[in-house]
Structure formats: structure tokens, C-alpha cells
Amino acid sequence: MSRVSGVSELGPAVEKCLDLLGGLEQAIGAGDRVLVKPNFNSPDPYPGSTDLGFLRVVLELLKDAGAEVLVGEGAGGIWRPTRNTVEKLGVPQLLQELGIEFIAFDAGETDWVEVPIEGQYLDRVTVPRVAYEADRMVYLSCMKTHNLARFTLSLKLSMGLVHPGERRGFHIGNLEQKVAEINLFRQPDLMIMDGRKAFVSGGPAKGEEVEPGMIMASGDMVAIDLEGVKVLQSYPASNKLGADPYQLPQIATALKHGLSAAGGDYEVVE
């Protein structure tokens, strides 16, 4: 059975979540080259984008663990170039202070590799070479609904890794299934979800905001998304989340392809 840990308060919460999973060392080792993938799809404030305080806490923990840390993101089409988006959010200043490099996943800004995958809707995906070759990947997701994909948590965070020339086509039919299949090229080693605030309708940039007041972490991206969806479903709101999270196309497709280590079974520890 997979584990999802959840507690409140930012700094102590992140550390406690990791401790409940056995410690950061379960996923990250000294000397590992770690790619951190936040949510800077647009220049909208948290929870539309990753909170910089949350980002700082995680990056400092990774550095303290002896990891070689990189931060990478590819903004959505209308918000590219990505460097403009992160500049508006104040990301470069934070990373400069911490001595961490930022990589923009825009055409011409990084090396790309085409990876064959055995999906029903995708047979290949083009991703940054650094994402393909990094020793470890850490996803920092927000908790929110999405006006096209129903929700955007950990599974959909991978869209920011896809080559800009492919992303538009992914939105033409079966978006939710394709979102899940992107992760067949590799899954992150650790996901930390910032659910102190969330969108329960609208999204991904703007929406109806609530305050669940929680941080969650897991090594199983399907498990953490299932729990995130259940939190979103607990609020009365106009969205497309439905009744059974296991039947939502992102989750169902991910389970079909074995993207959950425990087949969708998990326990919450806190």
C-alpha cells in the first residue's frame, strides 16, 4: 500500500510529511542531480502558481541533503517565454539567493529527447534531456481544479515538461488520458503538494479559492492525486470532479498503465 502524508503549517509541515514517509533520504541521496518541477504555468499568484515560500523550504531541504538541485519549468503557450513568467513571479531572485540554476523548457532554450512510450493515446513524448537524465525528480504541485482537465495536481504537472511544439496537439481530444500517459516516460521520485490554499472551480490560473490548510507528500503520484481530488470534492463547488475519483480519466488511465506502485491503494498518515 502506498502512503500519503498530510499535515499543516509550512516549514514544519514539509519536514513532517517527509518524516512520515521515512525521511527525505528515502527518495534523495547526497550527490543526486535533482530536477525540481514547480507549477509556474502562468504568472498568477498562489495557488495559481507555486508559492515561493513553499519552494524555498523544499529547495533548502534538498540542498541540506547534499543534492545538486536544478529548477525547471515550461509555461503555458500564452504565457511563454517562460522566463518572462517566472520573472513576474520573482523566481529568479529567489534562486539566485539560493545559488540554484533555473532551466526554461522553451524551444531553443534546452536540449530535447524524444522518448518512445507505450500509451493508448501517445506513442512518444519529447521532453527536456535534463528531465530524462536527472538522477531524481521532485514535483511541487498546487491543489486546484482545471477548466479542461478537471483537476491539475501531480499527474498534470508533467505537461510543463512537454516540448512546446507538442503541447497544443495534446489538448485536441483525450487531454486527460494524454496527461496521464506523459508520465510513462518516467515518474517523479517525490511529490509534495501545497494544499494550504486551493481552487475548487475554474483553474488553472484563477478560480474559486478555499483554504484546506494542508501539505501532502508521497512517492506515488496516483495516490497523492486521489487524495488531492478527495479534498477538492469535499467542498461544494461547480466543477467536473464527479463522485468517484477512481473513474476520473486522469486517474483511470494512470491506473491502467500501472503508474501507481500499489494499484491505487494507499493510506493517509499524519
Side-chain angles (χ1 to χ4, degrees), residues 195-247:
R196 292 172 297 149
K197 296 182 180 180
F199 291 152
V200 292
S201 66
K206 296 177 173 61
E208 179 186 348
E209 187 176 310
V210 297
E211 295 189 13
M214 63 177 63
I215 304 288
M216 297 194 297
S218 183
D220 186 319
M221 66 191 318
V222 179
I224 198 170
D225 276 19
L226 279 165
E227 188 61 22
V229 167
K230 290 176 183 178
V231 172
L232 295 175
Q233 289 176 328
S234 71
Y235 290 89
S238 177
N239 56 47
K240 300 177 182 178
L241 293 181
D244 183 357
Y246 287 87
Q247 299 303 314

Side-chain angles (χ1 to χ4, degrees), residues 23-41:
L24 181 60
E25 64 272 15
Q26 296 294 318
I28 307 297
D32 282 346
R33 192 164 189 257
V34 179
L35 174 65
V36 175
K37 169 65 174 70
N39 187 329
F40 295 131
N41 183 66

